[in-house]
Amino acid sequence: MINMKNLLFFVLLFFCIGQLQAQKLKLQKDNIDEIVQAMTLKEKALLLVGRNDYTFGGYDNPEQFVRFIAPSVSGYTQGITRLGIPPTALADGPAGAVVVTRPDNEKEYYATGFPVGTSLACSWNIDLVEQVGKAMGSEILEYGIDVILAPGMNIHRSPLCGRNYEYYSEDPVVTGKTAAAFVRGIQSNGVGASLKHFAVNSQETNRTEVDEIVDQRTLREIYLRGFEIAVKESKPWTVMASYNRLNGPYTQENYELLTTVLRDEWGFDGIVMTDWIQKRHTDAQIKAGVDNLQPGYQVQLEDIEKMVKDGRLSMEDIDIAVKRMLQYIVKTPHFRSYKYSDSPDLEAHAAVTRTSAVEGMVLLKNENNALPLQDIKKVALFGCHSYDFLAGGTGSGNVVKPYVVDMQQGLVNAGLEIDGDIRDMYAKYKDFWQAKNRCDRNPEERYYTEPPLKELVVSKTCINGQALKADVAILTIGRQAGEGGDRTIDEGFNLSQVEQKLLSDLCEAFHAKGKKVIVVLNVGGAIETASWKGLPDAILLAWQPGQEGGNSVADVLLGKENPSGKLTMTFPISVMDMPSSLNFPIDGRRGDRSRSERKNIDYTLHSEGLNIGYRYFSTVKRSVSYPFGFGLSYTTFTYSKPVVKSTDDGLVASIVVTNSGKMAGKESVQLYVSAPSGGLDKPALELKAFAKTGLLQPGESETLTMKVSDYDLASFDEAVQSWVSSAGRYIIKFGASVEDIRATGVYNLKKTLTWKVNDVLKPTRKLK
């Protein structure tokens, strides 16, 4: 028999063995459940709360942490040394990684400034977007970053939204397909992407508190559809919940959004993080499906421990999120102990930027083949933004770039001569503007954004003198916008009086001499063009094309590259033509953190429903300045041999595209569908797929093939809480734009198909 002494010995022995095994227990891909069981509540809380500075919570050696995860970036997830759980780094995007400094040296670090989201989307080139994502992913990998907080996927509900430059389109299919390609490119490097801002972050005014009220059908078909496509087609590592409320609750506390829809219906298996906000309701966020609270506060750690002890949170709630965090961490470069170089190939990525920017540029006008420029030596280059070129927007989407090639540099690099007096005038004006703003700044103002550079008043005498000397006039019109505020109509969407007069005077003087005037739009979103587009000879929409922008624009103006971009948003005649303008903060105010009942500030009614962009204009047949999908080329294309074939789960459509002009070029084809009559009211036509040719030489043809599933044809029927594809005759339309349909076909769906979903996310106010 075992006596008490022996029994005590064996108990102590097993305890010591257990302790030794626990000490040796380190995170591996196949022991996540074991790690969860071994963690203390405090350790679990650390994993769920971000780290927003170097002195915050839970490290044996904070200095070692700094050296280990060195970049000065947007945020971190916390690590647990004893279990081999590393911290991971999160960097802002989506036009490039925001890498600014290292805490342990004084060297300046830069990241490539890639073209903004609107530019990439307007390429209509999924392969190109994936290549840009691949380059960006390589860069963040070499800078020691695990996840880039991109892509931005919110719908262009209004052209006034300050952050539209980060986003892709007014259409969810363009948004979803473009985002999916971007994510695939990023994640091909073994780093992660984060879809944002989920969901309906449609305005910047009072963005942290505004309640976006949307009916279920519009929510499903417009605002969630792009996210659904991206989740299913690219499997992103993370999704970022937005700041705003959605039909009542904050999105960060909305179980129906973050669990029922995102996880249960769409099958998302990554982590959900919050957007960077101060403390909210910690228990509600975790129960809703948030796995990581960013940027992280000590009080949130205390919340979790107290809430588990008093029953507001269960250990099961915590363990679910902890397990998902560990599943994320084992995929990261820091878990793999990747030895990042701190030296990405910025030169190669600059080349990617230069070429990708070209494909997103949209030629809006080219009267009498004004472009490409020929036999030109001297350029009269006007407009402040010719010399202060906007590579990207402001806010967290901005990038600390090594340089920005402006218009005058790009043209000079291409061998053209820029008048020195004009250049000096604008350079001195820019210096004056910046000095004046520094003097006028209130020293007590905590957050400061320099006012956008206003256009310089130029005399007719100056302009007439240039018309005598120069071969052509180029005017750059710029618009800056970004995080934290929406654009105004006057001098934001519309041209200012100074800009209008400058353009008018240029056209009068140069046309009198038989010389051309070219306008370059250096903008992040749609602006008013209808009132002035008849004046210049050509208009090139360059967007905010990244750090190589001036070179990219010069490549297009001189015909080295043929523009092939097309609009992924409508350019209306007036901003008030957009139905959303009746329920949008058109005065551009920022709002505050108080919550009351101010329409379009504390709550916004999406009363327009599905009437977003081309869906509205094509249905009611209302004129626009430039339609969705529009874009010219230096060559021409013909469409022929349309074919529509049924498949087991939908249709395959093909079209032959032929370059019928005299210059090599690319063409994107948009596939629209008009649904059979009866049942739900639907837009006149909706985009369902698109494709782009390779570079076609004159006379060369290519067959483009596009797939559309029966589910893709479905509309959301609130009465039965189902996606429904009605039986009947669908007209398949091959378009060069939504207003330029070149060929048609027919698809017959023999029986009505339905896909049942959950009855969730109901609006809390009447929309009309």
Side-chain angles (χ1 to χ4, degrees), residues 264-572:
D264 298 344
E265 292 183 7
W266 299 350
F268 175 67
D269 61 0
I271 65 167
V272 173
M273 66 178 69
T274 66
D275 203 343
W276 269 232
I277 190 65
Q278 294 179 352
K279 177 187 179 299
R280 281 181 171 166
H281 306 103
T282 304
D283 53 342
Q285 289 173 310
I286 292 175
K287 286 180 178 180
V290 169
D291 306 302
N292 195 246
L293 305 170
Q294 288 290 348
Y297 296 94
Q298 182 69 35
V299 67
Q300 292 170 317
L301 292 174
E302 297 165 1
D303 274 351
I304 290 173
E305 293 194 60
K306 284 190 298 185
M307 289 173 174
V308 170
K309 290 175 182 176
D310 67 22
R312 282 177 286 172
L313 280 171
S314 69
M315 191 60 76
E316 183 182 7
D317 294 327
I318 300 299
D319 285 352
I320 289 171
V322 167
K323 183 174 181 177
R324 290 196 289 239
M325 284 297 298
L326 294 174
Q327 290 170 335
Y328 149 72
I329 287 168
V330 297
K331 295 189 289 188
T332 62
H334 274 107
F335 177 77
R336 302 194 304 269
S337 299
Y338 180 77
K339 305 298 182 184
Y340 58 88
S341 67
D342 251 359
S343 299
D345 194 343
L346 297 181
E347 186 175 342
H349 297 164
V352 171
T353 298
R354 182 169 178 170
T355 56
S356 58
V358 165
E359 282 215 33
M361 292 183 186
V362 183
L363 185 60
L364 295 177
K365 181 180 181 180
N366 196 22
E367 193 171 286
N368 298 321
N369 296 318
L371 294 176
L373 297 173
Q374 297 179 354
D375 301 321
I376 297 296
K377 294 182 179 179
K378 295 183 178 181
V379 175
L381 185 60
F382 286 87
C384 292
H385 290 291
S386 294
Y387 306 89
D388 185 37
F389 203 66
L390 304 174
T394 63
S396 60
N398 192 16
V399 179
V400 181
K401 301 166 281 291
Y403 60 84
V404 174
V405 179
D406 62 24
M407 282 286 296
Q408 65 97 15
Q409 289 174 317
L411 294 172
V412 169
N413 291 345
L416 297 180
E417 180 183 335
I418 307 298
D419 182 84
D421 290 336
I422 296 291
R423 183 187 61 234
D424 291 346
M425 177 181 69
Y426 278 108
K428 288 181 171 61
Y429 173 68
K430 177 183 174 182
D431 290 342
F432 163 77
W433 178 265
Q434 292 174 338
K436 181 180 184 299
N437 286 322
R438 286 195 297 271
C439 289
D440 291 343
R441 179 182 176 182
N442 181 353
E444 296 181 354
E445 186 177 359
R446 184 179 179 186
Y447 299 106
Y448 175 74
T449 301
E450 183 175 294
L453 188 62
K454 288 191 176 182
E455 191 52 71
L456 175 64
V457 175
V458 181
S459 70
K460 278 194 172 185
T461 302
C462 172
I463 291 171
N464 290 334
Q466 289 297 312
L468 290 172
K469 296 190 295 183
D471 299 316
V472 66
I474 298 177
L475 170 62
T476 303
I477 296 173
R479 286 292 182 276
Q480 187 57 293
E483 186 174 11
D486 294 310
R487 298 164 60 198
T488 60
I489 296 178
D490 294 334
E491 301 189 10
F493 181 75
N494 296 340
L495 296 196
S496 68
Q497 291 183 354
V498 173
E499 290 169 327
Q500 291 172 342
K501 188 174 189 306
L502 177 56
L503 175 58
S504 178
D505 289 348
L506 283 171
C507 291
E508 181 181 353
F510 276 77
H511 289 166
K513 301 296 182 184
K515 299 174 181 179
K516 296 171 182 176
V517 177
I518 313 300
V519 171
V520 174
L521 295 178
N522 180 203
V523 299
I527 69 169
E528 190 275 320
T529 55
S531 68
W532 57 266
K533 66 181 182 181
L535 295 175
D537 300 277
I539 305 171
L540 178 66
L541 176 55
W543 298 116
Q544 293 170 335
Q547 67 186 46
E548 284 284 327
N551 287 330
S552 300
V553 172
D555 288 343
V556 172
L557 294 180
L558 294 173
K560 182 179 178 180
E561 299 282 355
N562 190 345
S564 60
K566 295 188 177 185
L567 296 177
T568 58
M569 71 295 293
T570 303
F571 273 46

Side-chain angles (χ1 to χ4, degrees), residues 18-31:
Q19 288 294 101
L20 289 171
Q21 289 176 336
Q23 290 174 10
K24 292 179 181 179
L25 183 62
K26 300 293 182 183
L27 178 64
Q28 303 293 331
K29 290 183 179 181
D30 59 356
N31 72 345

Side-chain angles (χ1 to χ4, degrees), residues 638-643 654-658 701-703 734 742-743:
T638 59
Y639 295 14
S640 63
K641 301 179 182 177
V643 176
S654 64
I655 192 82
V656 176
V657 179
T658 302
S701 299
E702 181 178 344
T703 300
F734 301 85
R742 302 284 185 89

Side-chain angles (χ1 to χ4, degrees), residues 175-221:
T175 296
K177 297 287 185 180
T178 306
F182 185 84
V183 171
R184 289 194 298 268
I186 291 284
Q187 295 187 171
S188 68
N189 295 275
V191 294
S194 184
L195 307 186
K196 67 180 188 184
H197 308 88
F198 190 61
V200 201
N201 184 177
S202 297
Q203 64 185 61
E204 288 300 289
T205 300
N206 202 26
R207 61 184 177 148
T208 63
E209 294 294 329
V210 63
D211 192 356
E212 305 279 6
I213 310 297
V214 194
D215 68 80
Q216 290 173 297
R217 181 182 179 189
T218 301
L219 186 58
R220 292 274 190 176
E221 291 190 28

